């Protein structure tokens, strides 16, 4: 009746995967089932005459709710209240909902082991600081997309310092998808689709040299439903996080795979399994999975030599011939002594005997570390290279060192070239060219193909001279190369012009090419998703 008060008004939900079931067998797959918000009721749960009450649930599916694809559930329940000393229970008609799969993220953190800076022990020498890397790969192995992913990190913190030196870290760079962004410990990775991997990288400097002997990290998934979860804290909500796992890897070097199926993004060379020998054993690819890598080195006390090196010195530098018994096909890591460590010579090129270039300093590099052990100083100076071998036969590499001030330097006067075609005339709008200059000393030589067009739209562009003049460029000299856009091309076309030389600083340069087959000029915003070639 209109003047009656209903006492102990309540509602309960029952969630099932079968429309005929009302047992609530699937309630445990949702958070928030037992914690609705109410309005219109007194604190004692009474509903006054001629008034309305409201129960509102925010149901949050757990990661187990739709493990194999979109899954259907039926939500029903009961309404109960006391009237005239009697309890009335009414069953609600079930309604159907569809739950879609969640993302499932695995985070792999990479911490660089060695940190280079000015050593306080060597008072008469000032060693330069070298930025070191901390990076993370976020891989989505789930069936749903991760939306608007943001990672909020804190500064690295030393929890144990055997030397007692005051170590301070400074953030000097941040990259997302290997593109520089404003330096910050907070990075936005945006959406990560199923099967996709995204990478963020932080570059830091430290005021003292050293090495990280151990790493640990903690991770908290901050849910956008934090308020709802706080009301359902007594429920089973441990399966709400999209973070499936967090792994930590000791980073040896940032490299770039160049085997079949590789992309143009950097990758991580790590030491996962045998920390004692400090040798890498896995490559974590930026877009694929991970690959084993075999170390080919001469260890102290070894029964046989896997690496043989001979040096040939000249007035301008030194060439080291390294023969490595790789022993298998696949990825190999080769290490030998850096014979030029105490000189002013720098590693400028590494070439395999079949002509393959090993890019410096990406896949070939040198390290110089002063170790303080039991009161003694010990120098570790090595040359390193990473290579993919198609067979197990021994491989010969030539490590070429030269003076930094007598080496060729590559400079290109353009980074972007935009073209527009008129559909009616079918002619290029204009002739465009770029200039390659040798700003260093010594001859600038083109390596491999030297100058190539890459990308899905590369067939719509062409160099204006054939054959190309790829002879060496003398110090201080320049050479112009022309490019035009195919007058018959229609729609937006994108490509890269890549220049590969023996330059000791930036051996590879790229020019972004865009062409429009319509009567408008392309917006440069399309370039945001194109890869960067190093």
């Amino acid at each position: 009746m209109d003047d009656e008060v209903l006492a102990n008004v309540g509602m309960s939900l029952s969630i099932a995967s079968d429309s005929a079931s009302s047992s609530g067998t699937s309630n445990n797959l949702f958070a928030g089932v037992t914690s609705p918000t109410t309005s219109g009721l007194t604190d004692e749960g009474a509903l006054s005459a001629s008034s309305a009450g409201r129960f509102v649930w925010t149901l949050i599916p757990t990661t187990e709710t739709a493990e194999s694809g979109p899954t259907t559930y039926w939500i029903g329940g009961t309404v109960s209240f006391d009237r005239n000393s009697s309890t009335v229970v009414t069953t609600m008609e079930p309604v159907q909902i569809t739950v879609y799969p969640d993302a499932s993220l695995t985070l792999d953190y990479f911490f660089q082991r060695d940190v280079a800076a000015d050593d306080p022990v060597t008072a008469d020498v000032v060693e330069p600081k070298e930025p070191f890397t901390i990076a993370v790969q976020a891989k989505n192995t789930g069936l749903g997309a991760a939306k608007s992913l943001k990672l909020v990190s804190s500064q690295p913190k030393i929890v144990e310092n055997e030397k007692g030196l005051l170590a301070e870290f400074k953030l000097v760079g941040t990259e997302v998808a290997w593109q520089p962004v404003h330096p910050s410990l907070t990075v936005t990775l945006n959406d990560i689709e199923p099967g996709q991997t995204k990478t963020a990288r932080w570059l830091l400097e430290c005021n003292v040299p050293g090495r990280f002997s151990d790493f640990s990290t903690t991770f908290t998934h901050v849910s956008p439903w934090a308020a709802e979860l706080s009301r359902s804290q007594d429920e089973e909500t441990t399966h709400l996080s999209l973070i499936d796992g967090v792994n930590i890897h000791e980073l040896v070097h940032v490299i770039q795979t160049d085997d079949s199926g590789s992309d143009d993004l950097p990758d991580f060379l790590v030491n996962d399994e045998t920390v004692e020998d400090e040798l890498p054993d896995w490559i974590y690819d930026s877009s694929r999975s991970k690959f084993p890598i075999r170390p080919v080195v001469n260890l102290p006390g070894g029964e046989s030599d896997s690496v043989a090196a001979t040096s040939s010195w000249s007035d301008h530098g030194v060439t080291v011939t390294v023969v490595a018994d790789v022993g298998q096909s696949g990825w190999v890591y080769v290490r030998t002594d850096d014979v030029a460590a105490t000189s002013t010579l720098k590693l400028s090129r590494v070439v395999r005997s079949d002509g393959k270039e090993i890019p410096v300093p990406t896949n070939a590099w040198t390290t110089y570390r002063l170790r303080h052990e039991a009161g003694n100083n010990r120098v570790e100076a090595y040359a390193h290279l990473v290579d993919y071998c198609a067979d197990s036969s021994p491989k010969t590499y030539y490590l070429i060192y030269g003076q930094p001030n007598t080496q060729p330097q590559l400079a290109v006067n353009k980074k972007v070239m935009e073209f527009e075609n008129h559909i009616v005339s079918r002619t290029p709008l204009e002739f465009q060219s770029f200039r390659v200059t040798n700003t260093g000393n010594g001859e600038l030589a083109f390596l491999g193909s030297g100058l190539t067009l890459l990308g899905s739209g590369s067939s719509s562009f062409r160099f204006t001279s054939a054959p190309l003049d790829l002879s060496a460029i003398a110090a201080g000299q320049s050479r112009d190369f022309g490019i035009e856009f195919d007058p018959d091309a229609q729609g937006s076309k994108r490509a890269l012009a890549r220049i590969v030389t023996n330059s000791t600083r930036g051996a590879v340069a790229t020019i972004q090419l865009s062409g429009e087959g319509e009567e408008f000029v392309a917006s440069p915003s399309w370039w945001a998703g194109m890869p960067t070639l190093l």
Side-chain angles (χ1 to χ4, degrees), residues 229-285:
L229 293 177
S230 65
R231 290 195 298 271
S232 59
Q233 57 184 344
D234 294 333
E235 300 184 41
E236 176 58 51
T237 59
T238 59
H239 299 288
L240 292 171
S241 175
L242 301 184
I243 308 301
D244 186 55
V246 178
N247 306 308
I248 299 177
H249 311 277
E250 180 184 280
L251 176 63
V252 176
H253 196 65
V254 178
I255 66 169
Q256 187 171 337
T257 58
D258 58 1
D259 61 322
S260 175
S262 63
D263 54 25
D264 295 310
L265 299 177
D267 310 289
F268 300 104
L269 179 68
V270 306
N271 177 17
D272 266 352
E273 297 177 359
T274 310
V275 178
E276 291 78 11
D277 60 19
E278 301 180 353
L279 298 176
D281 41 43
W282 291 96
I283 295 174
Y284 282 75
D285 190 270

Side-chain angles (χ1 to χ4, degrees), residues 197-478:
T197 298
K198 288 194 174 181
T199 302
R201 180 189 188 191
W202 295 272
L203 294 171
L204 299 98
E205 289 180 347
C206 188
N207 61 321
V208 293
R211 62 171 46 187
F212 292 103
S213 60
D214 193 19
F215 308 96
S216 65
T217 185
T218 58
F219 199 93
T220 301
H221 175 199
V222 180
S223 171
W225 308 107
E228 285 75 11
L229 293 177
S230 65
R231 290 195 298 271
S232 59
Q233 57 184 344
D234 294 333
E235 300 184 41
E236 176 58 51
T237 59
T238 59
H239 299 288
L240 292 171
S241 175
L242 301 184
I243 308 301
D244 186 55
V246 178
N247 306 308
I248 299 177
H249 311 277
E250 180 184 280
L251 176 63
V252 176
H253 196 65
V254 178
I255 66 169
Q256 187 171 337
T257 58
D258 58 1
D259 61 322
S260 175
S262 63
D263 54 25
D264 295 310
L265 299 177
D267 310 289
F268 300 104
L269 179 68
V270 306
N271 177 17
D272 266 352
E273 297 177 359
T274 310
V275 178
E276 291 78 11
D277 60 19
E278 301 180 353
L279 298 176
D281 41 43
W282 291 96
I283 295 174
Y284 282 75
D285 190 270
S286 57
S287 60
R288 295 177 288 176
S289 184
K290 66 176 186 176
F291 307 101
I293 185 168
R294 180 176 184 265
V296 183
V297 300
N298 293 335
L299 294 176
E303 296 180 358
S304 61
D305 289 338
S306 300
V307 181
T310 56
S311 303
S312 175
W313 293 81
S314 69
D315 294 339
H316 304 290
V318 59
T319 297
V320 181
T321 302
V322 176
V323 180
D325 184 9
V326 298
Q328 65 177 38
S329 61
W331 286 102
V332 296
Y333 162 81
V334 180
R335 188 183 75 184
T336 187
D337 292 335
D338 182 8
V339 298
T342 58
S343 72
T344 58
L345 300 176
K346 301 297 181 183
L347 181 66
S348 60
R349 291 181 62 197
V350 175
V351 184
R352 202 168 66 185
S353 58
D354 60 0
K356 178 184 178 181
E357 292 277 341
I358 311 297
V360 179
T362 309
N363 288 11
W365 68 100
T366 59
T367 56
Y368 181 90
R369 302 290 183 262
L370 184 61
R371 306 299 186 196
H372 308 296
E373 300 174 350
N376 296 319
N377 297 332
R378 178 174 60 88
V379 172
E380 288 183 354
Y382 295 119
H384 318 253
L385 69 88
V386 170
D387 187 26
Y388 184 81
C389 301
D391 57 60
S392 60
S393 63
K395 299 295 182 289
T396 300
Y397 301 91
Y398 304 104
L399 281 60
I400 304 170
Y401 293 78
Q403 293 288 354
N405 60 349
T406 59
Q407 297 300 302
Q409 304 289 340
L410 170 66
V412 181
N413 68 330
K414 292 184 179 180
K415 297 296 183 183
V416 177
M417 298 173 68
E418 296 181 348
F419 298 79
E420 178 186 5
N421 275 355
H422 290 280
I423 295 298
V424 176
S425 62
R426 293 294 192 200
T427 59
L429 179 65
E430 60 179 341
F431 170 83
Q432 295 194 41
S433 64
F434 63 91
R435 176 165 295 175
V436 175
T437 303
N438 180 3
T439 60
N441 295 312
E443 290 188 336
L444 180 71
F446 293 90
L447 301 179
S449 299
L451 187 55
T452 54
L453 296 173
L454 304 172
S456 60
S458 60
S459 61
S460 297
F461 300 86
R462 57 176 171 259
F463 294 108
T464 55
S465 61
L468 293 171
D469 181 4
L470 297 179
S471 59
I473 300 176
Q477 300 299 306
S478 300

